[in-house]
Amino acid sequence: MPRIVMSDPYDSTIEIWGNPQLDTSPILNECKKRACPDKMLEAIQQPFTCDYEMPIPEGCRNVIGNFDLAHYDKSFDQVETIVGTITLKSSNVTSFPKMKKLKAIRQKEKGPIIVIEDNPNLRDVKSLYSLNLYTKNDDGAVRVEKNSKLCVSFAEMDEMFVLQYLGTVDRCSKFVSPFLEKSCLFVLEISAQLQSKKVKNWDQRRFF
């Protein structure tokens, strides 16, 4: 984008929007120097910014809109900032999807920035721990409900995201390791088969 010099920002009209590959830094910097009125600044998009659409336009790094991560698209991997909400609802994933370049989520005037609901196999949301979250109102900013297997381990207890938003999530049992859990499920399965007489002459020694 060419350098723009404004002699009088109050006597100028500029509108720049809908250009996902455009770096508007030069004109934004000029506006800062000239103390442009808020109305003008609001009409100039941030660098490499676009409204949400599928797929995300090539080159767009900052997206305004809401993301449904239950239907993940590879174009999400280029996004660095979101102004809106990311939602994971009614999925079968075991870990919260990681958007490779995402650094920050900013809250709109209303509504949450993260919604995690009704994911029966979800066990962790660690990919959210490193994000910068900018909220105007923390009440209801992150909604986590009805994820029956989701829990927080002892090692995660001091994570800021956990402390701030996961107070209602169950703590993982420190006595049950993944290996032990699988072993218990296996033994229960064998027990069920024995009860239904599908397995005969079971040698329990091979399981220990």
Side-chain angles (χ1 to χ4, degrees), residues 101-119:
K101 294 185 178 180
L102 185 63
K103 299 175 183 177
I105 308 175
R106 297 181 182 274
Q107 190 176 31
K108 289 183 177 180
E109 291 298 327
K110 296 180 180 179
I113 55 175
I114 299 173
V115 176
I116 308 170
E117 290 181 343
D118 298 308
N119 302 285

Side-chain angles (χ1 to χ4, degrees), residues 6-18:
M6 290 177 286
S7 57
D8 183 0
Y10 286 86
D11 193 34
S12 304
T13 301
I14 299 175
E15 183 173 341
I16 303 174
W17 202 259

Side-chain angles (χ1 to χ4, degrees), residues 51-94:
D51 289 327
Y52 176 86
E53 62 178 284
M54 283 280 283
I56 304 301
E58 184 178 355
C60 182
R61 304 175 192 171
N62 309 298
V63 182
I64 300 172
N66 302 324
F67 284 70
D68 179 4
L69 299 189
H71 303 284
Y72 199 92
D73 186 84
K74 64 180 182 180
S75 66
F76 292 177
D77 288 339
Q78 71 190 38
V79 178
E80 298 178 7
T81 303
I82 293 172
V83 180
T85 305
I86 60 173
T87 299
L88 183 68
K89 190 171 183 177
S90 302
S91 77
N92 290 315
V93 300
T94 57

Side-chain angles (χ1 to χ4, degrees), residues 27 48 58 62 77 81 84 102 108 125-126 132 151 188:
I27 191 169
F48 309 107
E58 184 178 355
N62 309 298
D77 288 339
T81 303
L102 185 63
K108 289 183 177 180
V125 293
K126 294 177 183 177
N132 293 313
C151 64
L188 287 172

